[in-house]
Amino acid sequence: MSKLLAHARRSPSSDLIIEVETQVPLEVYFGGPDRPPGYLRDVLAAHIAAVPTGGAIDWVTYYFRDMRLAEALVQAHRRGVKVTVTLEGKPRVPYANDEVIALLSQPGGLGKALRIIRIPGIPAPAGKSWKPQLHEKLYCFSHPAPIAFVGSFNPSGNMPDENPEIIRELGDQDRGHNVLVGLVDPMLVVQLTAHARCLHRMPPGLLYRFSSRANETIHGKDTSLYFWPRIYPHPVVQFLANVRPGARVRVVASHIRAERAVEIMTALARRRITVQVLAESMLRRVTAKVERRFSAANVQFSRFQDPQDLPMHLKFILVEDGDRVFTIFGSFNWTKPSFWLNHEIAIISSDPGLFRAFAARWEVLKNETNPKTGDSLKCPD
């Protein structure tokens, strides 16, 4: 291991987690109350600063309120970095991105390098409208060595934040539990960068799910990428369907609302697979009905609640199937919009080092104390 670590590339950020099992290192960063406030946005800021004239930054996100990061992207653009920013125009809190959009759109901003995505709604029964959204979180940098960050983190804070109302609505993502994983396998970085540029160049519409890009699978050495919406089956659901009896599946989820999601996890339990779910405490995100269904199906269910009410925004799955281990993570939620409509990214990896990094974070989360009960939220091992 020490020989391999010698090959690990140092990040511009000083407090780095590196998990190495091959000659391809990974950068894994977890935000949370055990990290400095703004830890993950600082990782992104350091990478922006490290890209020189002639380099490239490709940025796709759902929420973007961090004015200092927005200004850093403008400064990179002015010094000759090729910048693209692709941003959801109407997130769940529709005005959340307005200030950053105004900054990036003003004279001397990003100009055509900024693309705001507003995907038309789909008519639904009872006069409702289904609204596809760009829910991906993807940050690609060409220098000092190519890297693409994928995970759960939106730069949705703005420290110091003068809008406590929106922080209450979104949660304090600069201090809450999130993750960014920096992928450096050349095949994955090239394809993720191409994906970001495709979204920027040709904004997706209602027919995007039928495109070859939406349905392709990109394979690296031990890691595969999936995009959706797609016409092919949900890649995570397909993967879990092939997990063998006797395996252990641990799910960390900020949102579980879809009936289909409950069916998937309870079906695993019926197949003699140990299923443990650690979910966000907010009932809007993980309903009481979901909790009751899990309890009835012998799914080991716990709710995470930070003592400071910081959000648990992580989305990952750990699978131990015989002598094989897998980590699944990305932007996707266990909700109907995420299943069928939204633009999402998922990564499925067999890298043991990546598994250990996420398993260590599971231990941090499961040992948090629930202030409502005074009991430790420990899932049985």
Side-chain angles (χ1 to χ4, degrees):
M1 178 66 75
S2 60
K3 182 178 179 181
L4 294 177
L5 284 172
H7 294 276
R9 174 174 48 83
R10 293 303 299 176
S11 161
S13 181
S14 60
D15 198 0
L16 176 66
I17 301 172
I18 300 181
E19 294 290 337
V20 180
E21 287 296 327
T22 70
Q23 295 293 337
V24 180
L26 293 168
E27 296 187 15
V28 186
Y29 301 90
F30 290 98
D34 57 333
R35 308 287 191 205
Y39 180 74
L40 295 182
R41 62 88 51 209
D42 289 347
V43 169
L44 295 177
H47 278 81
I48 294 172
V51 180
T53 299
I57 299 170
D58 296 280
W59 187 285
V60 181
T61 193
Y62 179 64
Y63 282 124
F64 192 1
R65 297 184 58 251
D66 192 310
M67 297 294 281
R68 289 184 297 150
L69 279 181
E71 182 59 39
L73 289 169
V74 171
Q75 292 300 326
H77 177 68
R78 289 174 182 168
R79 70 173 179 265
V81 176
K82 182 180 178 181
V83 176
T84 69
V85 174
T86 307
L87 180 61
E88 170 61 46
K90 288 291 181 183
R92 190 181 64 83
V93 179
Y95 59 90
N97 297 336
D98 288 357
E99 248 189 297
V100 160
I101 290 173
L103 171 64
L104 298 179
S105 302
Q106 68 185 6
L110 292 185
K112 292 181 179 179
L114 172 66
R115 174 74 73 174
I116 307 302
I117 303 294
R118 295 182 178 90
I119 305 171
I122 300 173
K128 296 181 179 179
S129 177
W130 293 329
K131 297 178 181 178
Q133 294 184 313
L134 183 68
H135 194 248
E136 299 177 13
K137 302 98 170 64
L138 172 61
Y139 315 96
C140 305
F141 303 91
S142 64
H143 291 75
I147 189 168
F149 285 98
V150 180
S152 65
F153 178 68
N154 295 296
S156 58
N158 190 29
M159 300 185 300
D161 207 303
E162 298 176 358
N163 192 342
E165 181 180 339
I166 198 168
I167 288 297
R168 282 194 295 271
E169 182 70 18
L170 301 181
D172 189 344
Q173 302 299 331
D174 278 327
R175 296 193 301 142
H177 288 276
N178 274 295
V179 67
L180 286 174
V181 177
L183 302 172
V184 296
D185 182 328
M187 173 63 75
L188 303 182
V189 175
V190 166
Q191 291 295 331
L192 283 168
T193 302
H195 173 75
R197 292 178 183 175
C198 183
L199 289 176
H200 186 271
R201 184 173 64 254
M202 296 182 293
L206 297 180
L207 298 180
Y208 176 82
R209 70 179 64 246
F210 298 101
S211 68
S212 58
R213 176 163 290 277
N215 289 277
E216 67 184 338
T217 300
I218 298 158
H219 297 292
K221 183 179 184 301
D222 50 23
T223 300
S224 298
L225 301 176
Y226 304 87
F227 306 106
W228 64 88
R230 57 201 284 126
I231 55 173
Y232 291 168
H234 193 297
V236 177
V237 174
Q238 275 194 308
F239 181 89
L240 292 176
N242 292 313
V243 175
R244 297 172 296 185
R248 180 190 187 193
V249 174
R250 288 177 278 176
V251 179
V252 173
S254 62
H255 297 68
I256 307 176
R257 292 198 303 270
E259 182 73 16
R260 180 73 177 120
V262 177
E263 292 172 355
I264 291 161
M265 296 180 206
T266 55
L268 290 173
R270 287 195 298 272
R271 288 167 45 210
R272 295 185 294 109
I273 294 168
T274 299
V275 182
Q276 299 168 265
V277 177
L278 200 161
E280 162 69 45
S281 64
M282 190 178 294
L283 291 175
R284 176 177 63 80
R285 294 177 176 168
V286 184
T287 67
K289 179 181 178 181
V290 166
E291 182 174 353
R292 290 193 296 270
R293 290 277 309 277
F294 282 152
S295 297
N298 200 32
V299 172
Q300 299 169 19
F301 180 87
S302 295
R303 287 187 183 272
F304 172 88
Q305 182 158 356
D306 181 80
Q308 303 175 65
D309 286 329
L310 296 175
M312 199 289 293
H313 196 240
L314 291 164
K315 308 119 184 351
F316 69 85
I317 304 168
L318 299 171
V319 178
E320 297 165 84
D321 189 355
D323 59 354
R324 303 177 301 169
V325 295
F326 301 91
T327 310
I328 305 171
F329 64 98
S331 64
F332 65 93
N333 288 315
W334 297 93
T335 64
K336 288 181 180 179
S338 186
F339 263 67
W340 308 114
L341 300 174
N342 288 352
H343 288 258
E344 308 279 7
I345 299 176
I347 292 89
I348 301 178
S349 178
S350 61
D351 184 289
L354 186 62
F355 180 89
R356 286 199 298 273
F358 275 86
R361 203 59 184 173
W362 166 275
E363 294 298 322
V364 170
L365 292 169
K366 78 169 189 173
N367 287 303
E368 285 289 338
T369 298
N370 183 342
K372 291 185 178 179
T373 64
D375 296 324
S376 179
L377 281 177
K378 294 185 178 179
C379 301
D381 289 316

